[in-house]
Amino acid sequence: MFALILLLVASQAPAVPGETSLVSSCKQGMASACAALRQIEPKKAAEAERAFQVWKIAEEAREQQESRVEPEALPSAPEPPDCKGQDHHIISRPIARQLERHASLRGLYKARDSRFVTRAKDEKSHCGYQTWHREVDEEVIEWLIRFPKATRKEFEQFLRDIYSRSEMRARFPNGF
């Protein structure tokens, strides 16, 4: 989280003295300015476009943080009354929302995708949307933001790596 805040602050620096308005406009995401700058100074255009992309990713992450509602705080989302170890959907709704924004993975996955389900060992391991579950979702979402060009193979390997960790294997002995 700190890294995203730092990224946001660093990417919103004002124009550097001596920087042309064309560079500044491109950093603000103006496509016509970027196109014109690419004609004149391709290297500066690439740097300005990267700066805009960094800002855009940080802004999306900030908006996502602001709009996040903790399910535990909602009276309509209690723990299931007779939970004995649930099926765990690896592609949760928050992850699915981020996947729909992802440049290369959009449309490949859906929330609670039946291809990505594992069974919890017992009630303590998984019952509702517990803290560990939210932390894993956040880790996956941050990874998706950091790797906007990730392939399906890379994403699924990242998920397998998470579910291979000892604390996750203790919850889900069958892994993913």
Side-chain angles (χ1 to χ4, degrees):
M1 185 64 205
F2 177 74
L4 287 175
I5 293 171
L6 182 61
L7 195 60
L8 180 63
V9 170
S11 65
Q12 289 186 337
V16 177
E19 183 174 78
T20 67
S21 60
L22 202 53
V23 172
S24 186
S25 295
C26 185
K27 281 184 179 179
Q28 295 173 24
M30 296 176 72
S32 59
C34 292
L37 188 57
R38 273 194 299 277
Q39 298 280 327
I40 302 167
E41 296 186 63
K43 193 172 185 177
K44 280 189 180 180
E47 290 172 8
E49 288 171 326
R50 270 193 301 279
F52 173 70
Q53 288 301 319
V54 166
W55 173 83
K56 188 173 158 186
I57 289 168
E59 183 66 17
E60 287 174 0
R62 185 189 61 75
E63 287 173 3
Q64 184 178 18
Q65 277 297 111
E66 287 177 357
S67 67
R68 184 176 294 162
V69 176
E70 294 295 330
E72 288 181 340
L74 297 175
S76 61
E79 296 284 323
D82 55 354
C83 187
K84 301 292 183 243
Q86 296 176 312
D87 281 341
H88 169 62
H89 295 85
I90 293 167
I91 307 290
S92 65
R93 285 184 179 92
I95 291 172
R97 281 192 298 271
Q98 188 62 42
L99 282 163
E100 284 307 312
R101 297 182 198 129
H102 197 272
S104 59
L105 300 174
R106 182 179 303 126
L108 299 177
Y109 305 92
K110 61 183 180 183
R112 302 174 62 81
D113 197 315
S114 60
R115 298 171 296 165
F116 300 89
V117 178
T118 187
R119 183 85 176 159
K121 178 179 74 176
D122 55 20
E123 177 181 3
K124 185 179 178 191
S125 296
H126 182 22
C127 187
Y129 197 51
Q130 297 162 301
T131 301
W132 68 265
H133 197 316
R134 291 189 300 276
E135 289 169 353
V136 167
D137 283 0
E138 190 170 307
E139 179 181 359
V140 172
I141 289 166
E142 287 176 7
W143 187 90
L144 290 166
I145 291 168
R146 278 197 336 264
F147 298 100
K149 294 183 180 180
T151 65
R152 176 181 227 158
K153 184 177 177 181
E154 291 168 330
F155 175 61
E156 291 179 16
Q157 183 58 52
F158 175 70
L159 293 177
R160 282 188 191 86
D161 290 346
I162 289 175
Y163 287 86
S164 295
R165 295 174 185 164
S166 59
E167 67 272 13
M168 296 301 276
R169 292 296 286 201
R171 291 182 191 286
F172 307 103
N174 298 325
F176 158 59

